[in-house]
Amino acid sequence: MTILHIDSSISGENSASRAISRSIVDQLRHWNPASAVVTRDLVSDPLPHLTLDAFADTSVLDEFLQADTVVIGAPMYNFTLPTQLKAWLDRILIAGQTFRYTENGPEGLARGKRVVIALARGGFYDQGSPASALVHLETYLRGIFNFIGIEPEFVAADGLNISPEQRDMSIKQALGETVRLAA
Ligand SMILES: Cc1cc2nc3c(=O)[nH]c(=O)nc-3n(C[C@H](O)[C@H](O)[C@H](O)COP(=O)(O)O)c2cc1C
């Protein structure tokens, strides 16, 4: 099994999404010791904004297509995703490769992959909460992976900027979830 591990937080060692995505990968490797891990850090090794010329280079798409499982660390920035992660998505949503348009509408072509996303958010976005209308990070990522034929799984650490106690509790809970998820 090949695991592609993507991170996009700018916060280095203090990053919750990095800690959770690392734990997911560790848990997956625990259950599949023979798996190979390919790491792509979109902060230390950023992809430039998309250009027409960039479509000629399919290395990022190929890396995605070759992975069986993709683990993504996704912090919420300004209610959506880091632009570093958007630049990566811009390279994997390619007509004819990961989706196509048919007479019956769009069809995802990347079926069969497992995508697990570690969300880290400063606030709370549960249904009914004051900020629930701004839950764009999760809905966007679900929508975009559904579009290419994948139902992503999420592990979320929320309320990270509410208080240090809340942060510790949310991260601990999310790390616990990664054990269940991989098993
Ligand atoms: C530039 C920036 C923008 C942010 N915007 C939001 C936001 O819109 N909503 C929110 O709930 N938290 C926001 N936060 C808080 C982060 O989501 C939170 O700190 C989270 O822990 C980031 O993930 P990380 O720890 O993996 O870096 C923002 C943080 C930064 C640095």
Side-chain angles (χ1 to χ4, degrees):
M1 176 169 92
T2 300
I3 302 169
L4 174 59
H5 181 188
I6 308 276
D7 269 316
S8 60
S9 165
I10 60 174
S11 298
E13 278 309 301
N14 293 324
S15 158
S17 62
R18 283 177 185 267
I20 299 162
S21 71
R22 189 165 51 234
S23 175
I24 296 166
V25 171
D26 288 348
Q27 292 298 328
L28 291 170
R29 287 189 75 193
H30 173 78
W31 292 98
N32 301 278
S35 53
V37 180
V38 176
T39 302
R40 181 174 281 277
D41 189 326
L42 296 170
V43 175
S44 63
D45 192 11
L47 296 165
H49 285 307
L50 190 63
T51 60
L52 276 183
D53 288 346
F55 283 110
D57 177 0
T58 62
S59 55
V60 176
L61 173 67
D62 294 341
E63 188 179 72
F64 172 74
L65 292 175
Q66 280 156 24
D68 303 295
T69 299
V70 183
V71 178
I72 303 173
M76 177 181 267
Y77 290 165
N78 301 316
F79 304 110
T80 68
L81 69 169
T83 53
Q84 289 91 336
L85 184 54
K86 177 63 165 57
W88 180 79
L89 289 167
D90 286 340
R91 279 147 176 102
I92 67 158
L93 267 87
I94 305 294
Q97 297 285 336
T98 48
F99 70 92
R100 66 177 172 188
Y101 290 109
T102 71
E103 283 175 2
N104 302 321
E107 182 189 359
L109 301 177
R111 288 182 296 269
K113 284 185 203 307
R114 186 177 187 193
V115 171
V116 188
I117 302 176
L119 297 178
R121 297 179 284 209
F124 288 105
Y125 296 88
D126 312 286
Q127 255 187 353
S129 66
S132 63
L134 297 168
V135 66
H136 310 303
L137 172 64
E138 184 175 344
T139 51
Y140 176 72
L141 289 172
R142 178 174 284 112
I144 212 160
F145 281 108
N146 284 175
F147 185 76
I148 61 173
I150 296 167
E151 188 62 54
E153 298 157 70
F154 292 95
V155 179
D158 286 333
L160 297 177
N161 291 7
I162 304 284
S163 69
E165 293 76 21
Q166 179 67 59
R167 179 182 170 84
D168 285 352
M169 201 169 76
S170 294
I171 293 175
K172 213 173 278 172
Q173 188 199 333
L175 291 174
E177 254 187 75
T178 66
V179 178
R180 184 188 52 76
L181 194 128

